[in-house]
Amino acid sequence: MSAVQTILANTQKEGTNVKIVNKALDELNTYADKTIYNFTEMTRNIGTFTAAGVKLDTSVSSIKGIANLAAVSGSSSMQASTAMYQLSQAIASGTVRLMDWNSVVNAGMGGQVFQDALIRTSEHLKTGAKAAIKANGSFRESLQTGWLTTEVLTQTLDQFATAADTQEEYEAAIKKFIDQGYTAEQAKQMADMARTAGNAATKVKTFTQLIDTLKEALGSGWTTTWRLIIGDFEEAKEL
């Protein structure tokens, strides 16, 4: 309820209402059911993203992207939550600086896969990642130039969140990236990355992951049950 209030307060200028927010959260809830990642944490962080001025649909795809990236990186749900919070703070400031990046690295998510994806997006959006890295000697040091903008970050996270599990989804993902202006080769690389990330997040491989996934499904099931009994944000206030 608190998260819904935060999201509504920060997105009403876009014309959102309870129905739109519920739809966005339901999409995230369905995703959370398939993964070990916590819906409550995701919802709280969406509130932080929207408070930082990010649109609701972009916030949802960014949160899913971080969770998928965490799965590829082998990070825990707790580490993913820390990264979500830290990146939302960076988004509020407009750029990801070295301090923010250090938090991503500490969460085990700052590896080559993420770096390469961010550089590719930066080159596409012409914010100058390659030139900055060449001038400063490393990815880390180049961040002081401010090339890693909010747009570069959210667009890259959206790539990780893109559905590419089935052949139909995979082909749609390639088309989406080509329509955005990427080359056919880049689009295929990005679709492969999205498929790998989605599989890492949603395909249970250990007993511990199975228990975590079942716990998450139970928790989000109760969320739906309480909404049916008590009502959504507006209905609950009336009741």
Side-chain angles (χ1 to χ4, degrees):
M1 285 297 189
S2 299
V4 170
Q5 176 139 5
T6 306
I7 294 165
L8 275 173
N10 289 293
T11 58
Q12 275 178 338
K13 61 182 180 294
E14 299 167 27
T16 57
N17 54 36
V18 172
K19 194 174 178 182
I20 293 169
V21 172
N22 283 345
K23 185 173 180 291
L25 294 182
D26 285 344
E27 180 190 331
L28 207 60
N29 206 346
T30 302
Y31 170 80
D33 281 356
K34 300 175 186 173
T35 72
I36 64 168
Y37 300 107
N38 188 291
F39 174 66
T40 307
E41 290 291 339
M42 287 180 179
T43 308
R44 186 179 301 128
N45 283 302
I46 279 202
T48 315
F49 267 63
T50 54
V54 182
K55 289 187 175 180
L56 182 58
D57 56 346
T58 307
S59 297
V60 171
S61 69
S62 292
I63 294 291
K64 285 167 70 175
I66 292 170
N68 281 358
L69 175 63
V72 167
S73 308
S75 301
S76 67
S77 54
M78 187 69 75
Q79 287 173 306
S81 179
T82 302
M84 285 176 198
Y85 176 76
Q86 194 61 42
L87 288 175
S88 71
Q89 300 305 299
I91 283 170
S93 71
T95 54
V96 178
R97 300 289 181 179
L98 183 56
M99 180 181 70
D100 307 307
W101 183 252
N102 283 339
S103 296
V104 174
V105 171
N106 290 339
M109 295 162 57
Q112 202 61 48
V113 172
F114 195 23
Q115 288 182 30
D116 289 347
L118 289 167
I119 291 166
R120 180 173 52 222
T121 306
S122 167
E123 290 302 300
H124 177 63
L125 296 175
K126 296 180 170 55
T127 65
K130 285 184 178 176
I133 292 167
K134 189 176 179 183
N136 290 275
S138 71
F139 181 93
R140 288 169 58 82
E141 296 306 319
S142 73
L143 294 174
Q144 64 187 319
T145 65
W147 67 263
L148 186 38
T149 63
T150 293
E151 191 180 5
V152 171
L153 177 62
T154 54
Q155 201 172 112
T156 305
L157 291 174
D158 179 64
Q159 292 161 16
F160 278 96
T162 301
D165 191 21
T166 65
Q167 189 58 31
E168 191 179 341
E169 287 173 341
Y170 181 78
E171 287 168 7
I174 289 176
K175 183 180 182 302
K176 170 186 166 180
F177 298 138
I178 289 174
D179 289 347
Q180 287 175 354
Y182 291 93
T183 66
E185 186 185 352
Q186 286 176 322
K188 186 180 182 308
Q189 288 171 354
M190 290 154 73
D192 287 340
M193 177 185 74
R195 175 181 271 178
T196 302
N199 283 341
T202 59
K203 300 288 189 289
V204 171
K205 295 168 285 295
T206 67
F207 185 71
T208 308
Q209 286 178 335
L210 175 64
I211 296 300
D212 285 345
T213 306
L214 290 173
K215 271 163 47 180
E216 188 50 47
L218 276 171
S220 52
W222 274 112
T223 302
T224 306
T225 301
W226 282 116
R227 194 162 82 193
L228 289 170
I229 297 169
I230 306 295
D232 64 18
F233 184 76
E234 293 294 342
E235 294 161 347
K237 281 196 296 188
E238 287 294 322
L239 188 60

